[in-house]
Amino acid sequence: MFYYLDKSEWNSYLLSLSKNYLIYAPFQNNGFIDFQLFHDKPETIIYHSAKTITPLKHFLFPLKEKVTDQPAVQKVMVIGAKSCDLAALDLFDKIFLDDQLMDDFYRRRRENTLIIGTDCHSVDKTCHCTVYDIKPFPEKNCDLTLVENKNEVILSSMTKAGEMFLSQISGSGRIKKKDEKLPDSIIKTRKEIGARIAKANRTLPNSKKTQTVIDHSIGKKDKVWKKYASTCVSCGACVISCPTCHCFILLDTSRPGVMEKIRNHDACQYPGFEKMASGVDPLEKHYIRFRNRYVCKYVNRPQKFKSLACTGCGRCIDTCIGKIDKNEVILACSR
């Protein structure tokens, strides 16, 4: 069921919610679109851009956190999650919500974060979600979907938390009407955006074919890996900006009278990532370390978790200091 309300009603409701939630939404700043903490001016929220600079994972799996104490529970609302980020939660949930190895920090954040997914009405040069059968509009892993239609906002729930949210809005008298379907104009836009992404990336192999390409490249395409690794500076920007990368390291720190354990994001592209106490380092050679990320994403993770580890957001291409296009690497390995 789709709930229609005037944008002015939605904006006023957001302002009232900011008293109970930390609300993050996409805003434009210095030419870039990224999540910012919402305080006022709801009319400046950008709902239908392509992906934000910051991936959704950072709200659930922060770059740095203390794990010796339980964090205070905060109600968070994230507006504007894109399908590439939402698809990544399949992998995160399988890893961090496993019954036998439950990550309580991730669980608490997941349970206390209301995620509102929005359509992409524009396409970045590096977007290629459709290659991996992900559509440029939310289909899963969010509590609500939101789409603008002229002076209206259309909401739909996907979870019980989403249903409760819509029930509260209905109770406030702000809902204008309900309908079983979206307007034809929205359906048309979704198809057009999907077609644009598919056309721009028609030469790229799908996830299964990419898995085969990367798997077969090991030991057979060293020239390709060495060529592209030559401009990699091991900064880890590709990992930090990736919606699915999740490796971390635990660090012991201390201050007078207190010992603390800190969880930091880690990256397989950092030198010494797999170095052992004996001095052995399976990823010591630069090109092997560079290749490891591709093997992890396209071979190891899909095999172990039956889940995509690349959702086609293109952030790794956007952020790479060495100007490495991972899609060019894949195509080079396929030749």
Side-chain angles (χ1 to χ4, degrees), residues 216-228:
H216 288 179
S217 76
I218 300 172
K220 298 177 182 178
K221 295 286 183 177
D222 286 357
K223 287 185 179 180
V224 173
W225 293 114
K226 289 176 181 178
K227 172 188 173 182
Y228 285 96

Side-chain angles (χ1 to χ4, degrees), residues 54-67 71 92 96 103 105-106 109-110 240 245-249 262-266:
T54 302
L56 178 65
K57 73 175 182 181
H58 288 310
F59 293 104
L60 307 172
F61 184 64
L63 284 167
K64 180 179 181 180
E65 65 179 329
K66 185 168 67 173
V67 293
F92 266 79
F96 293 109
D103 186 311
F105 293 87
Y106 178 83
R109 285 194 174 89
R110 190 81 164 90
I240 300 303
C245 281
H246 52 269
C247 289
F248 62 86
I249 185 170
I262 306 296
R263 174 161 69 180
N264 274 26
H265 281 211
D266 204 358

Side-chain angles (χ1 to χ4, degrees), residues 180-195:
E180 293 289 341
K181 63 179 183 177
L182 286 169
D184 291 340
S185 59
I186 300 299
I187 303 299
K188 181 182 178 183
T189 300
R190 287 180 169 184
K191 290 179 179 178
E192 288 174 348
I193 295 296

Side-chain angles (χ1 to χ4, degrees), residues 99-163:
D99 288 338
Q100 297 184 11
L101 293 169
M102 179 76 68
D103 186 311
D104 201 43
F105 293 87
Y106 178 83
R107 179 190 62 79
R108 284 161 64 91
R109 285 194 174 89
R110 190 81 164 90
E111 290 176 352
N112 288 283
T113 301
L114 189 80
I115 300 173
I116 301 180
T118 57
D119 294 26
C120 294
H121 287 176
S122 61
V123 179
D124 286 346
K125 184 179 178 180
T126 56
C127 293
H128 55 288
C129 60
T130 58
V131 174
Y132 306 127
D133 295 324
I134 298 169
K135 296 175 183 176
F137 54 87
E139 292 187 299
K140 60 180 178 179
N141 295 337
C142 58
D143 299 292
L144 295 148
T145 65
L146 180 153
V147 62
E148 286 183 303
N149 184 45
K150 298 178 181 177
N151 293 319
E152 294 178 324
V153 167
I154 306 171
L155 297 167
S156 179
S157 65
M158 300 189 78
T159 65
K160 289 184 178 179
E163 290 174 5

Side-chain angles (χ1 to χ4, degrees), residues 4-23:
Y4 290 65
L5 60 161
D6 289 331
K7 194 180 293 184
S8 59
E9 292 287 354
W10 168 249
N11 288 344
S12 67
Y13 193 63
L14 274 185
L15 289 169
S16 69
L17 287 174
S18 61
K19 301 173 185 176
N20 302 316
Y21 286 89
L22 288 175
I23 301 176

